[in-house]
mmCIF file of all heavy atoms in Angstrom:
data_model
loop_
_atom_site.group_PDB
_atom_site.id
_atom_site.type_symbol
_atom_site.label_atom_id
_atom_site.label_comp_id
_atom_site.label_asym_id
_atom_site.label_seq_id
_atom_site.Cartn_x
_atom_site.Cartn_y
_atom_site.Cartn_z
ATOM 1 N N ILE Z 12 5.483 14.989 0.466
ATOM 2 C CA ILE Z 12 4.996 14.949 1.847
ATOM 3 C C ILE Z 12 3.800 14.002 1.962
ATOM 4 O O ILE Z 12 3.714 13.195 2.897
ATOM 5 C CB ILE Z 12 4.597 16.358 2.322
ATOM 6 C CG1 ILE Z 12 5.814 17.287 2.339
ATOM 7 C CG2 ILE Z 12 3.947 16.301 3.694
ATOM 8 C CD1 ILE Z 12 6.880 16.889 3.323
ATOM 9 N N ARG Z 13 2.903 14.074 1.006
ATOM 10 C CA ARG Z 13 1.721 13.203 1.027
ATOM 11 C C ARG Z 13 2.141 11.732 0.964
ATOM 12 O O ARG Z 13 1.620 10.893 1.718
ATOM 13 C CB ARG Z 13 0.802 13.539 -0.134
ATOM 14 C CG ARG Z 13 -0.448 12.654 -0.198
ATOM 15 C CD ARG Z 13 -1.326 12.995 -1.383
ATOM 16 N NE ARG Z 13 -1.928 14.315 -1.249
ATOM 17 C CZ ARG Z 13 -1.522 15.390 -1.910
ATOM 18 N NH1 ARG Z 13 -0.481 15.306 -2.755
ATOM 19 N NH2 ARG Z 13 -2.117 16.551 -1.744
ATOM 20 N N GLU Z 14 3.062 11.410 0.080
ATOM 21 C CA GLU Z 14 3.507 10.024 -0.074
ATOM 22 C C GLU Z 14 4.136 9.509 1.217
ATOM 23 O O GLU Z 14 3.871 8.369 1.639
ATOM 24 C CB GLU Z 14 4.510 9.940 -1.225
ATOM 25 C CG GLU Z 14 5.008 8.529 -1.500
ATOM 26 C CD GLU Z 14 5.989 8.492 -2.664
ATOM 27 O OE1 GLU Z 14 6.100 9.507 -3.379
ATOM 28 O OE2 GLU Z 14 6.642 7.440 -2.841
ATOM 29 N N ARG Z 15 4.945 10.329 1.866
ATOM 30 C CA ARG Z 15 5.593 9.907 3.108
ATOM 31 C C ARG Z 15 4.567 9.716 4.235
ATOM 32 O O ARG Z 15 4.663 8.761 5.013
ATOM 33 C CB ARG Z 15 6.644 10.936 3.520
ATOM 34 C CG ARG Z 15 7.842 11.012 2.582
ATOM 35 C CD ARG Z 15 8.805 12.081 3.044
ATOM 36 N NE ARG Z 15 9.976 12.172 2.172
ATOM 37 C CZ ARG Z 15 10.970 13.050 2.337
ATOM 38 N NH1 ARG Z 15 10.926 13.901 3.375
ATOM 39 N NH2 ARG Z 15 11.982 13.072 1.511
ATOM 40 N N MET Z 16 3.608 10.629 4.328
ATOM 41 C CA MET Z 16 2.589 10.534 5.379
ATOM 42 C C MET Z 16 1.714 9.304 5.187
ATOM 43 O O MET Z 16 1.392 8.600 6.146
ATOM 44 C CB MET Z 16 1.736 11.812 5.409
ATOM 45 C CG MET Z 16 2.482 13.050 5.870
ATOM 46 S SD MET Z 16 1.450 14.541 5.804
ATOM 47 C CE MET Z 16 0.224 14.154 7.082
ATOM 48 N N ILE Z 17 1.336 9.041 3.953
ATOM 49 C CA ILE Z 17 0.502 7.870 3.686
ATOM 50 C C ILE Z 17 1.265 6.591 4.000
ATOM 51 O O ILE Z 17 0.726 5.660 4.614
ATOM 52 C CB ILE Z 17 0.027 7.883 2.210
ATOM 53 C CG1 ILE Z 17 -1.035 8.977 2.008
ATOM 54 C CG2 ILE Z 17 -0.528 6.524 1.815
ATOM 55 C CD1 ILE Z 17 -1.497 9.125 0.571
ATOM 56 N N GLU Z 18 2.519 6.541 3.595
ATOM 57 C CA GLU Z 18 3.317 5.353 3.872
ATOM 58 C C GLU Z 18 3.469 5.113 5.370
ATOM 59 O O GLU Z 18 3.323 3.982 5.857
ATOM 60 C CB GLU Z 18 4.700 5.505 3.226
ATOM 61 C CG GLU Z 18 5.609 4.288 3.436
ATOM 62 C CD GLU Z 18 6.971 4.467 2.788
ATOM 63 O OE1 GLU Z 18 7.199 5.524 2.158
ATOM 64 O OE2 GLU Z 18 7.801 3.542 2.922
ATOM 65 N N ALA Z 19 3.726 6.191 6.127
ATOM 66 C CA ALA Z 19 3.927 6.049 7.579
ATOM 67 C C ALA Z 19 2.643 5.638 8.283
ATOM 68 O O ALA Z 19 2.652 4.758 9.154
ATOM 69 C CB ALA Z 19 4.453 7.361 8.152
ATOM 70 N N THR Z 20 1.526 6.262 7.933
ATOM 71 C CA THR Z 20 0.263 5.945 8.616
ATOM 72 C C THR Z 20 -0.267 4.574 8.208
ATOM 73 O O THR Z 20 -0.847 3.864 9.028
ATOM 74 C CB THR Z 20 -0.794 7.020 8.332
ATOM 75 O OG1 THR Z 20 -0.953 7.186 6.912
ATOM 76 C CG2 THR Z 20 -0.387 8.352 8.948
ATOM 77 N N ASP Z 21 -0.075 4.195 6.952
ATOM 78 C CA ASP Z 21 -0.483 2.852 6.526
ATOM 79 C C ASP Z 21 0.300 1.784 7.290
ATOM 80 O O ASP Z 21 -0.259 0.753 7.694
ATOM 81 C CB ASP Z 21 -0.269 2.674 5.023
ATOM 82 C CG ASP Z 21 -1.324 3.385 4.195
ATOM 83 O OD1 ASP Z 21 -2.276 3.922 4.783
ATOM 84 O OD2 ASP Z 21 -1.185 3.404 2.951
ATOM 85 N N GLN Z 22 1.585 2.024 7.490
ATOM 86 C CA GLN Z 22 2.405 1.072 8.238
ATOM 87 C C GLN Z 22 1.965 1.020 9.694
ATOM 88 O O GLN Z 22 1.920 -0.056 10.308
ATOM 89 C CB GLN Z 22 3.883 1.466 8.142
ATOM 90 C CG GLN Z 22 4.832 0.479 8.813
ATOM 91 C CD GLN Z 22 4.743 -0.904 8.203
ATOM 92 O OE1 GLN Z 22 4.826 -1.070 7.000
ATOM 93 N NE2 GLN Z 22 4.560 -1.922 9.051
ATOM 94 N N MET Z 23 1.629 2.191 10.257
ATOM 95 C CA MET Z 23 1.153 2.234 11.647
ATOM 96 C C MET Z 23 -0.104 1.393 11.817
ATOM 97 O O MET Z 23 -0.229 0.602 12.761
ATOM 98 C CB MET Z 23 0.886 3.676 12.064
ATOM 99 C CG MET Z 23 0.315 3.824 13.473
ATOM 100 S SD MET Z 23 -0.126 5.532 13.904
ATOM 101 C CE MET Z 23 -1.566 5.773 12.833
ATOM 102 N N MET Z 24 -1.062 1.532 10.904
ATOM 103 C CA MET Z 24 -2.304 0.780 11.013
ATOM 104 C C MET Z 24 -2.089 -0.702 10.734
ATOM 105 O O MET Z 24 -2.767 -1.555 11.320
ATOM 106 C CB MET Z 24 -3.346 1.356 10.056
ATOM 107 C CG MET Z 24 -3.751 2.804 10.378
ATOM 108 S SD MET Z 24 -4.226 3.059 12.098
ATOM 109 C CE MET Z 24 -5.611 1.940 12.252
ATOM 110 N N ALA Z 25 -1.145 -1.022 9.858
ATOM 111 C CA ALA Z 25 -0.841 -2.436 9.601
ATOM 112 C C ALA Z 25 -0.258 -3.085 10.854
ATOM 113 O O ALA Z 25 -0.575 -4.236 11.179
ATOM 114 C CB ALA Z 25 0.133 -2.559 8.432
ATOM 115 N N ASP Z 26 0.597 -2.348 11.567
ATOM 116 C CA ASP Z 26 1.171 -2.872 12.811
ATOM 117 C C ASP Z 26 0.078 -3.087 13.861
ATOM 118 O O ASP Z 26 0.107 -4.068 14.619
ATOM 119 C CB ASP Z 26 2.233 -1.909 13.346
ATOM 120 C CG ASP Z 26 3.455 -1.838 12.440
ATOM 121 O OD1 ASP Z 26 3.650 -2.765 11.626
ATOM 122 O OD2 ASP Z 26 4.209 -0.844 12.542
ATOM 123 N N LYS Z 27 -0.890 -2.161 13.909
ATOM 124 C CA LYS Z 27 -1.983 -2.315 14.869
ATOM 125 C C LYS Z 27 -2.851 -3.526 14.514
ATOM 126 O O LYS Z 27 -3.291 -4.263 15.407
ATOM 127 C CB LYS Z 27 -2.840 -1.043 14.903
ATOM 128 C CG LYS Z 27 -2.160 0.135 15.574
ATOM 129 C CD LYS Z 27 -3.115 1.308 15.731
ATOM 130 C CE LYS Z 27 -2.418 2.459 16.435
ATOM 131 N NZ LYS Z 27 -3.339 3.582 16.715
ATOM 132 N N ALA Z 28 -3.102 -3.716 13.233
ATOM 133 C CA ALA Z 28 -3.899 -4.864 12.811
ATOM 134 C C ALA Z 28 -3.202 -6.167 13.193
ATOM 135 O O ALA Z 28 -3.845 -7.140 13.592
ATOM 136 C CB ALA Z 28 -4.138 -4.808 11.305
ATOM 137 N N GLU Z 29 -1.885 -6.185 13.093
ATOM 138 C CA GLU Z 29 -1.142 -7.386 13.468
ATOM 139 C C GLU Z 29 -1.191 -7.606 14.978
ATOM 140 O O GLU Z 29 -1.305 -8.742 15.453
ATOM 141 C CB GLU Z 29 0.309 -7.267 13.003
ATOM 142 C CG GLU Z 29 1.160 -8.489 13.305
ATOM 143 C CD GLU Z 29 2.574 -8.354 12.778
ATOM 144 O OE1 GLU Z 29 2.860 -7.339 12.107
ATOM 145 O OE2 GLU Z 29 3.384 -9.266 13.058
ATOM 146 N N ALA Z 30 -1.107 -6.497 15.739
ATOM 147 C CA ALA Z 30 -1.119 -6.615 17.198
ATOM 148 C C ALA Z 30 -2.491 -7.037 17.720
ATOM 149 O O ALA Z 30 -2.599 -7.872 18.629
ATOM 150 C CB ALA Z 30 -0.699 -5.285 17.833
ATOM 151 N N PHE Z 31 -3.548 -6.468 17.167
ATOM 152 C CA PHE Z 31 -4.906 -6.811 17.604
ATOM 153 C C PHE Z 31 -5.382 -8.133 17.011
ATOM 154 O O PHE Z 31 -6.235 -8.810 17.588
ATOM 155 C CB PHE Z 31 -5.893 -5.712 17.192
ATOM 156 C CG PHE Z 31 -5.890 -4.505 18.085
ATOM 157 C CD1 PHE Z 31 -5.374 -3.308 17.643
ATOM 158 C CD2 PHE Z 31 -6.417 -4.566 19.368
ATOM 159 C CE1 PHE Z 31 -5.382 -2.182 18.459
ATOM 160 C CE2 PHE Z 31 -6.429 -3.457 20.185
ATOM 161 C CZ PHE Z 31 -5.907 -2.256 19.733
ATOM 162 N N GLY Z 32 -4.864 -8.454 15.844
ATOM 163 C CA GLY Z 32 -5.404 -9.567 15.077
ATOM 164 C C GLY Z 32 -6.326 -9.019 14.003
ATOM 165 O O GLY Z 32 -7.117 -8.112 14.279
ATOM 166 N N PRO Z 33 -6.250 -9.536 12.773
ATOM 167 C CA PRO Z 33 -7.046 -8.972 11.669
ATOM 168 C C PRO Z 33 -8.536 -8.926 11.968
ATOM 169 O O PRO Z 33 -9.204 -7.924 11.696
ATOM 170 C CB PRO Z 33 -6.734 -9.920 10.499
ATOM 171 C CG PRO Z 33 -5.393 -10.506 10.830
ATOM 172 C CD PRO Z 33 -5.370 -10.625 12.329
ATOM 173 N N GLU Z 34 -9.085 -9.990 12.538
ATOM 174 C CA GLU Z 34 -10.533 -10.025 12.790
ATOM 175 C C GLU Z 34 -10.928 -8.984 13.831
ATOM 176 O O GLU Z 34 -11.929 -8.271 13.667
ATOM 177 C CB GLU Z 34 -10.946 -11.416 13.255
ATOM 178 C CG GLU Z 34 -12.455 -11.557 13.449
ATOM 179 C CD GLU Z 34 -12.862 -12.971 13.811
ATOM 180 O OE1 GLU Z 34 -11.982 -13.856 13.783
ATOM 181 O OE2 GLU Z 34 -14.046 -13.180 14.126
ATOM 182 N N ASN Z 35 -10.154 -8.888 14.924
ATOM 183 C CA ASN Z 35 -10.454 -7.889 15.948
ATOM 184 C C ASN Z 35 -10.346 -6.477 15.388
ATOM 185 O O ASN Z 35 -11.158 -5.602 15.720
ATOM 186 C CB ASN Z 35 -9.508 -8.048 17.135
ATOM 187 C CG ASN Z 35 -9.793 -9.292 17.937
ATOM 188 O OD1 ASN Z 35 -10.926 -9.783 17.944
ATOM 189 N ND2 ASN Z 35 -8.786 -9.820 18.613
ATOM 190 N N MET Z 36 -9.357 -6.252 14.538
ATOM 191 C CA MET Z 36 -9.174 -4.917 13.970
ATOM 192 C C MET Z 36 -10.341 -4.540 13.082
ATOM 193 O O MET Z 36 -10.813 -3.396 13.096
ATOM 194 C CB MET Z 36 -7.860 -4.874 13.166
ATOM 195 C CG MET Z 36 -7.429 -3.452 12.805
ATOM 196 S SD MET Z 36 -7.034 -2.499 14.285
ATOM 197 C CE MET Z 36 -6.980 -0.832 13.620
ATOM 198 N N ARG Z 37 -10.856 -5.494 12.313
ATOM 199 C CA ARG Z 37 -12.013 -5.204 11.463
ATOM 200 C C ARG Z 37 -13.239 -4.873 12.323
ATOM 201 O O ARG Z 37 -14.029 -3.991 11.967
ATOM 202 C CB ARG Z 37 -12.310 -6.416 10.572
ATOM 203 C CG ARG Z 37 -11.194 -6.852 9.632
ATOM 204 C CD ARG Z 37 -10.885 -5.833 8.536
ATOM 205 N NE ARG Z 37 -10.001 -4.770 8.959
ATOM 206 C CZ ARG Z 37 -8.681 -4.876 8.967
ATOM 207 N NH1 ARG Z 37 -8.099 -5.999 8.624
ATOM 208 N NH2 ARG Z 37 -7.944 -3.824 9.314
ATOM 209 N N ASN Z 38 -13.392 -5.573 13.440
ATOM 210 C CA ASN Z 38 -14.516 -5.270 14.338
ATOM 211 C C ASN Z 38 -14.376 -3.888 14.960
ATOM 212 O O ASN Z 38 -15.360 -3.158 15.104
ATOM 213 C CB ASN Z 38 -14.610 -6.334 15.442
ATOM 214 C CG ASN Z 38 -15.076 -7.676 14.916
ATOM 215 O OD1 ASN Z 38 -15.791 -7.743 13.915
ATOM 216 N ND2 ASN Z 38 -14.678 -8.753 15.580
ATOM 217 N N ILE Z 39 -13.155 -3.537 15.338
ATOM 218 C CA ILE Z 39 -12.913 -2.210 15.915
ATOM 219 C C ILE Z 39 -13.240 -1.122 14.900
ATOM 220 O O ILE Z 39 -13.908 -0.124 15.222
ATOM 221 C CB ILE Z 39 -11.446 -2.100 16.386
ATOM 222 C CG1 ILE Z 39 -11.201 -3.012 17.595
ATOM 223 C CG2 ILE Z 39 -11.101 -0.649 16.736
ATOM 224 C CD1 ILE Z 39 -9.743 -3.115 17.984
ATOM 225 N N GLU Z 40 -12.785 -1.293 13.682
ATOM 226 C CA GLU Z 40 -13.056 -0.306 12.636
ATOM 227 C C GLU Z 40 -14.557 -0.140 12.411
ATOM 228 O O GLU Z 40 -15.059 0.984 12.284
ATOM 229 C CB GLU Z 40 -12.370 -0.730 11.333
ATOM 230 C CG GLU Z 40 -10.859 -0.631 11.382
ATOM 231 C CD GLU Z 40 -10.194 -1.292 10.184
ATOM 232 O OE1 GLU Z 40 -10.851 -2.112 9.507
ATOM 233 O OE2 GLU Z 40 -9.020 -0.984 9.913
ATOM 234 N N LYS Z 41 -15.269 -1.251 12.382
ATOM 235 C CA LYS Z 41 -16.710 -1.186 12.125
ATOM 236 C C LYS Z 41 -17.439 -0.499 13.271
ATOM 237 O O LYS Z 41 -18.319 0.345 13.047
ATOM 238 C CB LYS Z 41 -17.264 -2.598 11.925
ATOM 239 C CG LYS Z 41 -18.719 -2.617 11.453
ATOM 240 C CD LYS Z 41 -19.130 -3.992 10.988
ATOM 241 C CE LYS Z 41 -20.514 -3.968 10.355
ATOM 242 N NZ LYS Z 41 -20.897 -5.285 9.801
ATOM 243 N N GLN Z 42 -17.082 -0.836 14.510
ATOM 244 C CA GLN Z 42 -17.745 -0.221 15.657
ATOM 245 C C GLN Z 42 -17.484 1.277 15.720
ATOM 246 O O GLN Z 42 -18.396 2.076 15.967
ATOM 247 C CB GLN Z 42 -17.274 -0.892 16.951
ATOM 248 C CG GLN Z 42 -17.770 -2.318 17.133
ATOM 249 C CD GLN Z 42 -19.285 -2.395 17.186
ATOM 250 O OE1 GLN Z 42 -19.945 -1.554 17.799
ATOM 251 N NE2 GLN Z 42 -19.848 -3.397 16.528
ATOM 252 N N LEU Z 43 -16.248 1.677 15.506
ATOM 253 C CA LEU Z 43 -15.920 3.107 15.538
ATOM 254 C C LEU Z 43 -16.640 3.857 14.427
ATOM 255 O O LEU Z 43 -17.129 4.974 14.635
ATOM 256 C CB LEU Z 43 -14.407 3.297 15.416
ATOM 257 C CG LEU Z 43 -13.569 2.938 16.643
ATOM 258 C CD1 LEU Z 43 -12.087 3.136 16.350
ATOM 259 C CD2 LEU Z 43 -13.973 3.794 17.841
ATOM 260 N N LEU Z 44 -16.704 3.249 13.261
ATOM 261 C CA LEU Z 44 -17.360 3.902 12.131
ATOM 262 C C LEU Z 44 -18.855 4.048 12.388
ATOM 263 O O LEU Z 44 -19.446 5.112 12.131
ATOM 264 C CB LEU Z 44 -17.104 3.105 10.860
ATOM 265 C CG LEU Z 44 -17.533 3.745 9.526
ATOM 266 C CD1 LEU Z 44 -16.920 5.131 9.378
ATOM 267 C CD2 LEU Z 44 -17.126 2.863 8.365
ATOM 268 N N LEU Z 45 -19.490 3.014 12.917
ATOM 269 C CA LEU Z 45 -20.923 3.080 13.214
ATOM 270 C C LEU Z 45 -21.215 4.134 14.281
ATOM 271 O O LEU Z 45 -22.181 4.896 14.167
ATOM 272 C CB LEU Z 45 -21.419 1.708 13.671
ATOM 273 C CG LEU Z 45 -21.559 0.635 12.587
ATOM 274 C CD1 LEU Z 45 -21.859 -0.723 13.211
ATOM 275 C CD2 LEU Z 45 -22.650 1.007 11.587
ATOM 276 N N GLN Z 46 -20.413 4.177 15.317
ATOM 277 C CA GLN Z 46 -20.614 5.164 16.377
ATOM 278 C C GLN Z 46 -20.445 6.583 15.841
ATOM 279 O O GLN Z 46 -21.216 7.488 16.187
ATOM 280 C CB GLN Z 46 -19.642 4.906 17.522
ATOM 281 C CG GLN Z 46 -19.915 3.633 18.294
ATOM 282 C CD GLN Z 46 -18.846 3.345 19.326
ATOM 283 O OE1 GLN Z 46 -17.944 4.143 19.550
ATOM 284 N NE2 GLN Z 46 -18.933 2.177 19.954
ATOM 285 N N ALA Z 47 -19.429 6.776 15.012
ATOM 286 C CA ALA Z 47 -19.178 8.117 14.464
ATOM 287 C C ALA Z 47 -20.311 8.543 13.531
ATOM 288 O O ALA Z 47 -20.752 9.699 13.571
ATOM 289 C CB ALA Z 47 -17.844 8.129 13.721
ATOM 290 N N ILE Z 48 -20.788 7.630 12.699
ATOM 291 C CA ILE Z 48 -21.896 7.958 11.798
ATOM 292 C C ILE Z 48 -23.143 8.321 12.596
ATOM 293 O O ILE Z 48 -23.835 9.299 12.298
ATOM 294 C CB ILE Z 48 -22.186 6.783 10.846
ATOM 295 C CG1 ILE Z 48 -21.046 6.631 9.833
ATOM 296 C CG2 ILE Z 48 -23.503 6.988 10.109
ATOM 297 C CD1 ILE Z 48 -21.183 5.415 8.927
ATOM 298 N N ASP Z 49 -23.432 7.536 13.631
ATOM 299 C CA ASP Z 49 -24.621 7.786 14.446
ATOM 300 C C ASP Z 49 -24.569 9.173 15.091
ATOM 301 O O ASP Z 49 -25.528 9.950 15.014
ATOM 302 C CB ASP Z 49 -24.731 6.700 15.515
ATOM 303 C CG ASP Z 49 -25.964 6.882 16.397
ATOM 304 O OD1 ASP Z 49 -27.080 6.863 15.863
ATOM 305 O OD2 ASP Z 49 -25.797 7.063 17.617
#
């Protein structure tokens, strides 16, 4: 179950990175992480 879930979610995020563009996706990840930490 773990292997299937990781494979599915990794593919989902890879598709999002392609749709947003790698640079935009990295910026989104950083902003969300900073906001959550704060």
